[in-house]
Amino acid sequence: MTVQPNDYSKIYDIAVIGGGINGVGIANDAAGRGLSVFLCEKDDLASHTSSASSKLIHGGLRYLEHKEFRLVREALAEREVLLAKAPHIIKPMRFIMPHRPHLRPAWLIRAGLFFYDHLGKREKLLGSNLIYFKEDSPLKPAITRGFEYSDCTVDDARLVVLNALQAKEKGAKVVTRTRCIKAYREQELWHLELQSGAEFYQVRARALVNAAGPWVEEIISENLKLKSPYRIRLIQGSHIIVPKLYDCHKAFIMQNEDRRIVFAIPYLEKYTLIGTTDQEYTGDPQKVEITDAEIDYLLTVTNSHFKKQLTRTDIVSQFSGVRALCDDESDNPSAVTRDYTVALQVEDKTTPLLSVFGGKITTYRKLAESALEQLNPFFTDMEEEWTANEVLPGAENWTTLEDLVIKIQNQVEGVTEQLAKRWANAYGSRVWDILGEKSSVEQLGQHFGQGLYAREVDYLCTAEWVITSQDVLWRRSKLGLSFTQKETEALDAYLIVKTHSNEAA
């Protein structure tokens, strides 16, 4: 990344630390209201918690047991809003909860689903119903009935990237691999000292947003030398990915003896995603990894429900993330609130510091609105709320996924249906920014494998902050699940040359 020499001469309205879903959501909302915005992320966008989720946009059925009605109501309403904003990366899905009467009585589940159907605005998603399982069910014969309801799946990392892309298109400056090493108040401005590789530089802003996720408390105490208004609890959540466990396109929500729930979710057509766990984490958030106990836990829960029995050898991939939740002093990690808190600290009625504690992907947009509402007194010319009604990049002029797939195949000779679907799901209508007037796969440049061509990689480097193969294979796509070591090395070699040529330019 080339640092522009005039970075320090410009005074931004808002500087945001953190390129996860909350950081980019706030940056995007602010930029769309006419504010000048700077966002820095120490790694790649969505490198940590925001790409390690269960890939769901959901109301949080189990949160009802913890009486978090406000959070559930808001999340339920957001499902419909986000589904309209990004139909290429967010899809409706039916969820099946097998009934296990010794864990939760049927009346309790029915009551919970009644609230789930009616607490939030529901127009596109189907309501809940009772179902009975037949002999062809993938579940064990002892499980004879269950309940079905609606939620949505999401490509979590792409949701982050699309918000960052929209923020950039609305004037925000977004930089990755840039660490804020220090920030302080001086002359009614925030001064941020930043490090990008071997380079150091500063930016100034009227307000500072700390959306560093697991590092939010550390930023306040270590980098800003201030006292944090809240403490956070780090809760580790881990997932495993296995070959497709069953044939239907519905997810299962499995109840366990400890009263926790685990999802089994169809994933990328060939796999099943299983998770998540909930356990206290005290280590470095940068180094979180799935534990043997978590693997055993997920396998045990799954094997207690499905006819097909899994072992460790079935695991194709695994990932872990750390959720930074606002500490409500709950004894049970599963019961710690998933609601968010935005805390405002002001000195002499200027230089506001707004820190984000907690939150979940589903409510990121509402969190951003809440953050901007708190900052509104400091920016009297701030424009109105806008994010509820404007689509994210790729959803412009949207018709259907099937229609887009057909258009891609009609234009680009040699493109398989599988590749056209991947492009349509990832980029939506922005796929034409990649393809341009190209009319065959031979015109797309070097083929790295698994349908990844140089043309797409070049676009990702230019438009989506890609630098390494990990950025491409695990956050802009999930091709890392099928890429070989040799294919990855070829992609790395190409990106090294690409990065050097960009730096020279």
Side-chain angles (χ1 to χ4, degrees), residues 334-500:
S334 298
V336 180
T337 180
R338 267 54 177 176
D339 210 343
Y340 56 82
T341 299
V342 286
L344 186 67
Q345 296 172 278
V346 180
E347 186 175 279
D348 295 329
K349 298 182 180 181
T350 64
T351 56
L353 166 64
L354 187 122
S355 300
V356 177
F357 297 84
K360 58 202 293 286
I361 283 180
T362 305
T363 52
Y364 86 89
R365 193 192 66 83
K366 294 297 290 185
L367 184 153
E369 286 187 340
S370 178
L372 270 296
E373 183 180 354
Q374 292 215 33
L375 291 174
N376 187 60
F378 303 93
F379 301 100
T380 54
D381 57 347
M382 184 190 299
E383 295 172 14
E384 296 297 315
E385 296 175 355
W386 63 277
T387 57
N389 300 311
E390 187 168 329
V391 298
L392 286 168
E396 304 94 341
N397 305 311
W398 185 258
T399 53
T400 66
L401 183 72
E402 293 74 20
D403 182 51
L404 182 55
V405 169
I406 291 170
K407 287 181 179 177
I408 293 170
Q409 288 186 285
N410 286 341
Q411 174 173 316
V412 186
E413 184 181 352
V415 168
T416 64
E417 183 180 8
Q418 181 183 9
L419 177 54
K421 280 184 177 178
R422 181 176 73 77
W423 283 343
N425 278 306
Y427 304 108
S429 57
R430 294 294 179 99
V431 69
W432 307 117
D433 291 353
I434 300 173
L435 298 177
E437 300 299 318
K438 302 301 181 186
S439 59
S440 71
V441 291
E442 285 76 18
Q443 297 176 334
L444 300 180
Q446 182 178 343
H447 183 221
F448 301 101
Q450 315 301 323
L452 181 69
Y453 292 87
R455 183 86 177 179
E456 181 178 357
V457 175
D458 291 349
Y459 168 82
L460 293 173
C461 292
T462 302
E464 294 194 3
W465 299 275
V466 155
I467 293 177
T468 73
S469 63
Q470 296 297 299
D471 303 345
V472 177
L473 299 178
W474 293 105
R475 288 177 286 278
R476 306 312 182 278
S477 74
K478 297 298 181 287
L479 291 173
L481 285 167
S482 51
F483 249 58
T484 66
Q485 182 64 33
K486 186 175 181 180
E487 289 168 339
T488 304
E489 289 171 357
L491 177 58
D492 270 323
Y494 181 86
L495 286 168
I496 289 172
V497 173
K498 183 82 178 171
T499 301
H500 286 166

Side-chain angles (χ1 to χ4, degrees), residues 3 36 47 86 106 148 195 210 254 273 327 350 371 391 426 456 482:
V3 177
S36 59
S47 281
E148 188 172 290
Q195 180 180 3
N210 175 13
M254 302 176 285
L273 175 66
D327 190 0
T350 64
V391 298
E456 181 178 357
S482 51

Side-chain angles (χ1 to χ4, degrees), residues 76 79-80 83 92-95 113 116-118 122-129 148-152 250:
L76 288 171
R79 293 180 311 178
E80 303 263 347
L83 190 57
M93 181 168 283
R94 295 293 279 174
F95 286 72
L113 288 173
Y116 210 68
D117 283 342
H118 295 93
R122 181 174 57 82
E123 295 177 352
K124 300 176 183 177
L125 299 174
L126 297 174
S128 61
N129 58 274
E148 188 172 290
Y149 66 95
S150 294
D151 266 323
C152 298
K250 299 179 181 180

